[in-house]
Amino acid sequence: MANIQPIDKNVHANLKLKNNDNFIQSANSHVVPVVVHEFGVASQEFPIVFMKDQNTGQFRAIALLGLKPEENLFFDVKGWKGDYAPESLHCFPFLASQTESGSNNVILCADLDSELLNEADGESFFNDSGEQNNWLAEKANRVVSLVEKNKLTQEFIRTLLDNDLLVSQSLNIKLEGEEKFTINGLYVIDESKLNALSGDDYLTLKNKGFIAPIYASLFSMQRINRLAKLHLKK
Amino acid sequence: MDVVNEIIIVGGGTAGWLTAANLGKKFKNETGQSVKITLIESPDIPTIGVGEGTWPTMRKTLANLGIDESEFMTFTNASFKQATKFVNWKATPENDQKNHYYHLFTSITDAAEFNLGPYWALGDKSTTYADAISAQAQICEMGLAPKTIATAAYEGMQNYAYHLDAGKFAKLLKKVAVEKFDVEYISANVTGVNLSVDGYISSVDTDTAGRKKAGFFVDCSGFKSLLLGETLGIKFKSIKDTLLTDHAIAIQVPYKDMEQPISSSTISTAHEAGWTWDIGLANRRGTGYVYSSEFVDHDTAEQTLRDYIGPESKGLESRLIKMNCGYREKFWHKNCVAIGLSAAFVEPLEASAIFLVEASANMLCDQFPRNREVMHIVEKKFNKSFEFRWQKTIDFIKMHYFLSKRKEPFWQANKNLNTVPDSLLEILEHWKYHPVSKYDFTNVFEPFPQESYQYILYGMEFNQQLKFNESAFNMNSQAQMHFKKVQEITDYLSRNLPSNRALLKKVNQFGFQSI
Amino acid sequence: MSQKVNDLLIVGGGTAGWLSAAILAKQLQSGTENGVNITLVESPNIPILGVGEGTWPNLRATLKKIGVDEGEFMRECDATFKQGASFVNWMQPNESQTHRYYHPLNTVFHSSYNFNLSAYWLLGHAGSNIPYDDAVASQARVCDLGLAPKKITTPAFDAIQEYSYHLNANKFADFLMRHCTKNLGVKHVKANVKNVILDNDRFIESVTTDSTEHALMKADFFIDCSGAKSILLSETYNIGWHSISDVIFNDTALAMQVPYEDKNQPISTHTIATAQEAGWIWDIGLNNRRGVGHVYSSRYTSDERAEELLREYIGAEAEGLTARKIPINLGYREKFWHKNCVAIGMSAGFVEPLEASAIYLYDAAANMIADQFPRQRSTMEFVERKFNTSFKMRMERTVDFIKLHYCISDRKDTPYWVDNCDNDSIPESLQWRLKHWQTHPPTKYDFDFAWEPFNLDSYLYVLYGMKYKTDLSSNQSSFNQVKLAKKMFSDIDELSHSLASELPKQRELVEKVYQYGFSRI
C-alpha cells in the first residue's frame, strides 16, 4: 500500500535513498507511462500506445514493455536493460503534490513504504545542517518538471481525442510454439484519419508541436516485432 | 381437455415434406414421438415440380433440420442464388440495347440503421444503386459464387439462397422426415374427408390405407386444396385483376457442356406480355415464360420462350401450366391449416412461394395448439399474419409492373389504376418525396425488407424528388465512408471468390466444413 | 410543389418540448441555410411538471445522436444509472416475506426470439424455486448487489448491462435547452401564447403571445408540448380525449423529495415500485436525493390515507418534508397529429408512470416526426395518418402492458385489487393474449407490431415474475431441447458471477463519472 507523504526535513532528517540505477520498481511492469517530450527517443525502443486508467477511465500514454501482464522484456537479473529509461522511472519513488487543491504550488512527496527509502543505506536526503542535499533538490526539480510534462501530455491526448485520431486496437499475437493470444485495451493513432484532417486542423497540430510525437507513436508500432522477438528469446 | 396427439398432412411436395420434417423435429423426444405425424401422399398425382428459387432463410431452415449443406446441394442439383436480375423491365429495349437492374440479398448497411438510399438519390448516380451499396451485383455479373470451399457450411461471404430442383428437394425432405424424425409415410389417395358435428375434421378415408384419424390436419394438396377448399368450403380470392398473368410455359434446357458458366442470379427478362425466368441449376437450366393469355396466345408465348432460349430450344419439350393466382379467404379453419399452393399462389417473380411455406411451417410449429380449446386463438393469429404477408407480397410484385415504362398493351394494362391496390398507390405517392423508411414497415413479419423496395424503386428509375429536403440527409461523411467500403469489398471479393461452376465441383468433391 | 415547410414552432418546454427540439433540430439542421428553423416558445411563469424521472435505453442513442457528452449530462442532471424496475408486493405478500420480481432492461439471455427459454423455466429445468428473473437474466443479480451497469473505462453510451437513467426532470429540461440553443440552432422565446390563428384551410398559421418582441409568431409546422392543457390540439382543434380510467384506476400522484441519510448511502440501481392498498409507490434514486411518490386512485382511497402510506413507506426521514399533489388524467388524444400540428408529451396522452413509458414515447414520437418530416404541405396528410395509426397502437399497447401488472395479481385484500381483475376493465387485446398464454408461453409471434413499446422479453419478465400460470402439462414434449436450455441457465449463472466481481458499485461509478466523464471511445 502506498504511503505518500510530503518530505519534511524535521520528520525525515535521517532518510536515505538507495541506489536505483536499475529501476527495480519496473521488474514486473508490462507498461511504463511516458510523456510526449520523450516520444522521440522512447519510440526507438518501445511501442508508444495509449491505455485507459482502470480507476478513472482517463487515457495515458505508455511505452509497452511486454506482451503479457507483468512481463517486462527490458528487465533481467541485473535490472533495467533498456537503452533509454522513461522519465517516470527516474522520478520514482517521488511525486509532486499540490499544496492546496487548484493551487500552482507543489511540494515534493514520496512513497515512504518503498523499499528504496530507509535510514541505513544510500544517499542522505538532508545534510548535517538540515538542508536539502543537491541531489534531492535536483530530483525535486525533475519531479516538478514531470508534472508539467504530464499536463502537456494530457493536452496532447485531448487533442487526439478531439480530432478523432485515436482508435481501439487489439493485437493478435501468434508466436511459434505458443497459443494465439490477444492484447486488448490498447489505443493507437489512426494514420488514415490523420491524413484526412482538414488543412486548418493539421496546421493546428503542427503549431502545437504535436506532429512529431504523433509520428513517433505511429512509427513505434514497428517495435512490436521486437517485443515478439524478445519474448521468444526469454 | 381435448388434446391433439396425431397430425395428418395431406400431400407431399416441398410444402408437405417441409412441414412434416419441422413438425417431426418439434415433437420428437427421447422416448419417441409425443405427437404422431403422418403424411399421406398420392402415388399418382404429380407435384407441381417447378418451384426452383428460394430465399436466404432456407439456409437456416436446413441447418435447423440438421441437413448437411453439401449433401443437400449435391442431391438437389442446387446452385447458389445471390440476386434476381431484372432485364428489360425498366423499358422496352431499343435497338437491342438491353437494360437491367439487380435486386440483391446483401447491402453494405442495414437500411433501418443508416439508409444510403437518399444519399445515392441525391448524388450524381454515376453508378447504379445496386453497385453503390453492394458488391454483389458485380459479383453476379462475373458469375462468382458467394463463398469459397473453406467457408463454413451455411455461412457466406455474401448473403445467398439456392436454386434447386424442387422434385428432388421434396425427396430429400421426405427422407429426413421419415428417417430422422419418425414421420409415418402413407402412399395412398385420399378419397373422402370426414367432419365431426362441430365442423372439425375428424378423419380422412384413403383408397389403400383405410380411414385415418387425427386431431389436426395440414392441407398440402396443392391447387386442389382438398381439405380447406373442397371440404371446409373456404373460398378462393383470385387476384387476376391485380396481377394479370395466368399461365406459364416451362422448358428445361441442358447445358452445352459441364464448363458452361452457371448464373449467380435468377434472370427475369420482361417480354411483350409477361416475363421469362431463367434459373441455372448445377446440371441444367430451368426456363419459363409467365404471361397473360389475354394478351398473347399460347403458341406465340411458346415461341417467345424458344426465341429467348435460342437454337438449343430445338427438340426440347415444353409444359403448359395454368396458374391459379390468388389466396384463400382464410388459411386456417378450425383444426386444419393449408400450406403451399392449397393456401395461395402468386406468380413466381420474387420466388416467394417456398419462403412462405417455410414461414407457415415455422409459425405452425411455434404456435402449435395441443388443446382444441385454444385452436381458435391460434387460427386468428395465423390468418391475420398470413393475410398480411400475402397482401404485401402481391403489392411488392405489382410494384415491379406499375413502375415500368414499357408500352405494350399488357404493360399499359398493368398501369391501369383499377389493377393497383390502394396501399401501393399511397405509399408510392409518399415515396415520391420521402425515402423509403423503417417507419413504413409496421409489421415484424414483413416479407420484403426496406432495402428490397429500394432496389426495385431505384432500379426502375422511380422519380424520387428529395432535393427540396436535402438538408435532412446530412450525414454525408458517413455515407461516403460506406460507399468507399463497397468499392474495397468489391475489389477484394472479385479477386478471392471462385466461379459458381468451380465451387460446385468442389462441393461435390469435398463438401463444406461445419465450422 | 406545394407550400414549403421551413419554420417549425414548438409550443411548450419541459422534457417533451426540449427533447423534441433537440431531436428535430439535429435531423432537420435547424439554423442552417436549407434546414428547418426551429423555435421553442415557453411560458416564463407556468412551471413544468418536473416529476418524470425514469427513462428507457433509447434515450442513450438519442443523447449520443444529438452530440451530448454523457458525463456532462449526468453531472448536470443529478443522473444515476437505471437498470430496470423491481416490483414489490404486486402479488399477495406473505406475513414475513415480501414478494418481489425484477423487470430488468437486458433482453432475456440468448434472446427469447430464437429460443424460448421461459418454457424450460416453467418446466423446472432451471432448478427448483429459482425465480424467473434470476434464471434468465444476469441483471437481476447485478441489481441485487447494487452494482453499476458498466465501468469507468467503458466508452460513453456503451453498456455492459443494458441501462438508462434516473434524472432530475427540471435540470434535464434546462440542460437540453442549453444544448439546443448553443449547439443545435434552436431559438428560445419566453412568452405566454395567447391566441392561435388558423388559415383558410384550417391549418395553424401563427400564434400570438404576450411578449412585445414576439407578439406574432408564424410558422409552417407546430408541435404542441403545452402539457395537459394542450393549447393547440385540444383547445384550438378540439381533438377529443380517450380516457383509460376504466382500465387503469389511478388518478392522483403525491410526490416527495427525500434526501439521503448520509453521503455514502447506496444509490438504488433500479426504480422500486411497491404496491399499496389502492395504488403503488415509486422510489427513484438520483445522485443527491430520492424521488418518492404515491400513485393512487381517489375512487378507492382518500388523500389522507394515501399520504399516510407514503410517509410510512419513507419512514422517519419523511418528517418535515412536504408532499406535492398532482392530479393525473390518464388517457390519450383521439388523434395526435392534425393537419400541421402534432402533440408530444402530456398534451398527447399519459399512461401512469409504472413503467416509465412517458419520456420513452416522447423520444419515439420526435424521432418518427424527424424521420418522416413533411417538407411540403401536400405530403402532410399521409404522414399524419401513418403517425396517428402508429401512436394509437403504441398507446394501446402501453395501456395493455401496464394493465398486465394489475390484472394477473392474486391480491384480493382491497376492492381496488379485486376490481383490477374484472374482465370489463381488461382490454380485449390483452384478454385474448392472456387466454393463449394459459397453455402456451409468449413467443415472437405474439408481437408482430414492429413498433411495440414493450417487447416479448418485457412481457415474459412481468408474467413470470408474477408467476402467471402457463400450463404446459399437455405439451411438455414439444420442449425437447432440455440440454441446450440447461446450458443456457448455467451460462447465465456464470455470467452473473463474473459480472459480480467485475462491476463497480453504483455510487462509486456515479461519483467517478461526475469527476472524469466517459471517453467517447
Side-chain angles (χ1 to χ4, degrees), chain B residues 100-365:
Chain B
H100 75 262
Y101 71 91
Y102 273 96
H103 175 192
L104 307 168
F105 286 140
T106 310
S107 318
I108 193 84
T109 57
D110 175 355
E113 285 188 24
F114 188 92
N115 191 358
L116 285 171
Y119 294 91
W120 177 83
L122 287 165
D124 59 14
K125 300 190 189 154
S126 51
T127 47
T128 64
Y129 182 63
D131 279 332
I133 71 162
S134 177
Q136 203 160 34
Q138 289 299 308
I139 299 302
C140 288
E141 285 288 286
M142 292 188 258
L144 300 179
K147 60 199 260 176
T148 69
I149 193 63
T151 317
Y154 295 121
E155 299 203 352
M157 289 158 79
Q158 295 279 276
N159 197 8
Y160 69 92
Y162 310 99
H163 291 132
L164 45 74
D165 180 320
K168 298 204 169 140
F169 187 42
K171 281 208 184 80
L172 175 67
L173 291 169
K174 175 170 166 180
K175 194 161 177 282
V176 169
V178 169
E179 291 174 20
K180 205 160 161 187
F181 298 120
D182 301 340
V183 171
E184 189 194 354
Y185 166 53
I186 297 178
S187 174
N189 286 299
V190 168
T191 52
V193 182
N194 307 309
L195 301 179
S196 55
V197 190
D198 53 7
Y200 281 63
I201 302 179
S202 57
S203 60
V204 293
D205 294 326
T206 68
D207 52 2
T208 53
R211 171 167 294 184
K212 293 286 170 194
K213 289 215 297 229
F216 195 87
F217 293 80
V218 186
D219 185 346
C220 296
S221 59
F223 280 137
K224 203 174 198 299
S225 195
L226 181 58
L227 306 181
L228 194 79
E230 283 189 10
T231 308
L232 295 172
I234 305 301
K235 290 212 194 55
F236 183 76
K237 279 204 310 215
S238 165
I239 55 168
K240 197 166 183 317
D241 293 337
T242 307
L243 296 177
L244 313 182
T245 55
D246 56 4
H247 282 83
I249 292 186
I251 296 181
Q252 295 186 357
V253 184
Y255 287 115
K256 291 199 252 258
D257 57 59
M258 287 322 275
E259 296 308 315
Q260 184 174 344
I262 299 178
S263 171
S264 309
S265 57
T266 302
I267 304 169
S268 163
T269 309
H271 296 277
E272 238 185 73
W275 57 278
T276 51
W277 79 73
D278 186 344
I279 283 175
L281 302 187
N283 59 333
R284 59 154 177 87
R285 280 156 70 200
T287 66
Y289 185 19
V290 176
Y291 60 95
S292 167
S293 58
E294 262 184 56
F295 291 88
V296 71
D297 61 83
H298 300 303
D299 289 330
T300 314
E302 178 157 348
Q303 194 51 50
T304 306
L305 179 59
R306 290 186 180 280
D307 286 341
Y308 168 81
I309 296 168
E312 309 139 70
S313 68
K314 201 165 153 148
L316 296 177
E317 261 183 50
S318 70
R319 190 176 147 206
L320 178 62
I321 304 155
K322 180 166 181 352
M323 300 192 314
N324 219 3
C325 295
Y327 54 96
R328 297 278 157 191
E329 277 177 353
K330 55 197 311 221
F331 312 100
W332 184 315
H333 184 69
K334 296 194 189 285
N335 67 337
C336 171
V337 66
I339 296 182
L341 297 173
S342 50
F345 180 62
V346 173
E347 59 160 272
L349 186 61
E350 287 279 7
S352 34
I354 294 182
F355 164 71
L356 285 161
V357 166
E358 287 173 77
S360 305
N362 285 335
M363 187 169 180
L364 175 65
C365 282

Side-chain angles (χ1 to χ4, degrees), chain C residues 442-489:
Chain C
T443 70
K444 63 186 180 187
Y445 289 101
D446 295 306
F447 298 90
D448 59 2
F449 179 43
W451 302 96
E452 184 77 60
F454 297 98
N455 61 13
L456 171 60
D457 294 300
S458 291
Y459 275 80
L460 289 170
Y461 283 125
V462 176
L463 270 184
Y464 297 127
M466 306 266 286
K467 301 207 176 77
Y468 188 72
K469 299 247 177 309
T470 299
D471 180 5
L472 295 180
S473 55
S474 59
N475 198 16
Q476 266 187 67
S477 47
S478 61
F479 303 104
N480 53 22
Q481 299 190 68
V482 179
K483 230 160 96 187
L484 182 56
K486 284 197 155 136
K487 172 150 195 317
M488 288 188 185
F489 288 131

Side-chain angles (χ1 to χ4, degrees), chain B residues 51-67:
Chain B
E52 291 179 333
T54 62
W55 286 24
T57 47
M58 181 53 77
R59 284 157 46 210
K60 186 149 181 266
T61 298
L62 294 170
N64 280 341
L65 293 172
I67 297 176

Side-chain angles (χ1 to χ4, degrees), chain C residues 305-325:
Chain C
R305 177 65 180 154
E307 182 155 350
E308 193 188 325
L309 288 170
L310 179 60
R311 287 182 182 282
E312 209 179 281
Y313 172 87
I314 297 169
E317 303 134 75
E319 231 182 281
L321 298 176
T322 45
R324 183 180 151 205
K325 182 167 146 186

Side-chain angles (χ1 to χ4, degrees), chain C residues 133-320:
Chain C
D133 50 21
D134 257 345
V136 304
S138 50
Q139 198 157 35
R141 221 82 68 82
V142 169
C143 286
D144 267 347
L145 294 169
L147 302 176
K150 60 196 269 182
K151 304 196 271 202
I152 191 67
T153 47
T154 315
F157 301 117
D158 279 4
I160 295 178
Q161 296 280 275
E162 204 45 52
Y163 72 93
S164 61
Y165 312 97
H166 285 137
L167 46 73
N168 178 319
N170 280 301
K171 292 190 176 177
F172 186 45
D174 274 344
F175 175 83
L176 287 173
M177 181 266 289
R178 287 195 298 277
H179 186 70
C180 282
T181 50
K182 262 210 304 233
N183 305 320
L184 296 175
V186 175
K187 286 224 271 291
H188 185 201
V189 171
K190 288 217 179 90
N192 286 300
V193 168
K194 290 275 159 239
N195 289 311
V196 180
I197 300 170
L198 304 178
D199 69 16
N200 289 331
D201 297 314
R202 291 190 59 81
F203 279 65
I204 302 181
E205 193 179 80
S206 56
V207 301
T208 61
T209 74
D210 62 359
S211 139
T212 37
E213 205 191 322
H214 300 100
L216 181 73
M217 301 187 76
K218 281 177 102 162
D220 306 306
F221 198 88
F222 295 78
I223 313 246
D224 184 349
C225 294
S226 58
K229 204 170 194 293
S230 188
I231 299 176
L232 305 181
L233 213 69
S234 174
E235 285 187 358
T236 308
Y237 280 131
N238 285 315
I239 303 298
W241 177 258
H242 171 83
S243 167
I244 57 168
S245 58
D246 52 344
V247 178
I248 312 229
F249 306 155
N250 301 322
D251 57 15
T252 317
L254 198 61
M256 287 175 87
Q257 296 184 355
V258 184
Y260 288 111
E261 275 172 344
D262 67 69
K263 257 185 0 127
N264 295 317
Q265 185 175 340
I267 303 177
S268 173
T269 55
H270 51 278
T271 307
I272 305 169
T274 308
Q276 304 293 317
E277 285 170 5
W280 58 279
I281 290 177
W282 82 70
D283 188 343
I284 281 175
L286 301 189
N287 176 50
N288 55 333
R289 61 151 177 89
R290 284 153 68 200
V292 185
H294 191 178
V295 178
Y296 60 94
S297 173
S298 64
R299 274 147 46 204
Y300 290 87
T301 190
S302 66
D303 292 343
E304 291 74 39
R305 177 65 180 154
E307 182 155 350
E308 193 188 325
L309 288 170
L310 179 60
R311 287 182 182 282
E312 209 179 281
Y313 172 87
I314 297 169
E317 303 134 75
E319 231 182 281

Side-chain angles (χ1 to χ4, degrees), chain A:
Chain A
M1 258 281 55
N3 178 16
I4 317 278
Q5 298 294 338
I7 301 301
D8 183 338
K9 64 184 178 188
N10 299 314
V11 181
H12 305 120
N14 299 321
L15 205 51
K16 295 185 165 85
L17 176 73
K18 284 194 199 161
N19 180 291
N20 189 27
D21 291 342
N22 301 322
F23 302 114
I24 58 164
Q25 75 273 22
S26 69
N28 296 316
S29 303
H30 65 293
V31 298
V32 61
V34 287
V35 288
V36 76
H37 309 69
E38 57 189 347
F39 276 23
V41 55
S43 62
Q44 305 295 302
E45 268 188 285
F46 323 105
I48 309 289
V49 293
F50 305 87
M51 287 178 76
K52 285 186 188 177
D53 179 316
Q54 287 301 305
N55 267 322
T56 64
Q58 301 301 290
F59 281 101
R60 314 182 294 171
I62 55 118
L64 199 58
L65 306 176
L67 294 178
K68 297 206 165 155
E70 296 186 9
E71 170 184 77
N72 183 348
L73 298 166
F74 297 86
F75 199 92
D76 65 11
V77 287
K78 299 207 207 101
W80 179 260
K81 59 177 192 174
D83 286 339
Y84 176 74
E87 264 311 284
S88 59
L89 290 182
H90 288 277
C91 291
F92 184 86
F94 296 94
L95 307 154
S97 185
Q98 290 170 314
T99 45
E100 279 140 24
S101 168
S103 90
N104 278 328
N105 290 329
V106 289
I107 50 171
L108 186 67
C109 304
D111 176 6
L112 293 181
D113 283 349
S114 167
E115 55 182 27
L116 295 173
L117 297 175
N118 70 146
E119 298 203 339
D121 293 318
E123 297 275 355
S124 292
F125 275 40
F126 299 98
N127 61 22
D128 295 328
S129 336
E131 297 297 314
Q132 246 186 16
N133 273 324
N134 279 341
W135 72 265
L136 186 58
E138 275 167 29
K139 185 73 82 179
N141 285 335
R142 199 165 186 175
V143 168
V144 169
S145 168
L146 185 59
V147 170
E148 289 308 310
K149 290 178 176 157
N150 271 321
K151 279 198 193 140
L152 188 62
T153 307
Q154 280 302 309
E155 198 194 316
F156 172 74
I157 293 174
R158 246 189 328 269
T159 308
L160 292 179
L161 287 169
D162 287 343
N163 282 290
D164 200 27
L165 294 175
L166 279 184
V167 280
S168 162
Q169 180 87 64
S170 324
L171 293 178
N172 295 316
I173 316 269
K174 175 73 186 84
L175 299 171
E176 217 183 290
E178 283 188 35
E179 289 256 327
K180 262 201 302 207
F181 65 95
T182 306
I183 305 180
N184 286 317
L186 301 182
Y187 292 79
V188 301
I189 297 174
D190 185 335
E191 193 176 356
S192 58
K193 287 195 183 166
L194 177 69
N195 291 333
L197 286 180
S198 73
D200 282 343
D201 288 340
Y202 196 86
L203 196 58
T204 308
L205 290 178
K206 168 205 168 272
N207 289 336
K208 286 187 175 176
F210 290 163
I211 297 294
I214 285 174
Y215 276 99
S217 171
L218 281 172
F219 292 145
S220 76
M221 300 314 288
Q222 298 299 320
R223 299 289 122 233
I224 294 175
N225 290 333
R226 186 153 176 258
L227 286 183
K229 287 206 186 101
L230 289 171
H231 177 90
L232 284 173
K233 265 210 268 183
K234 251 182 20 168

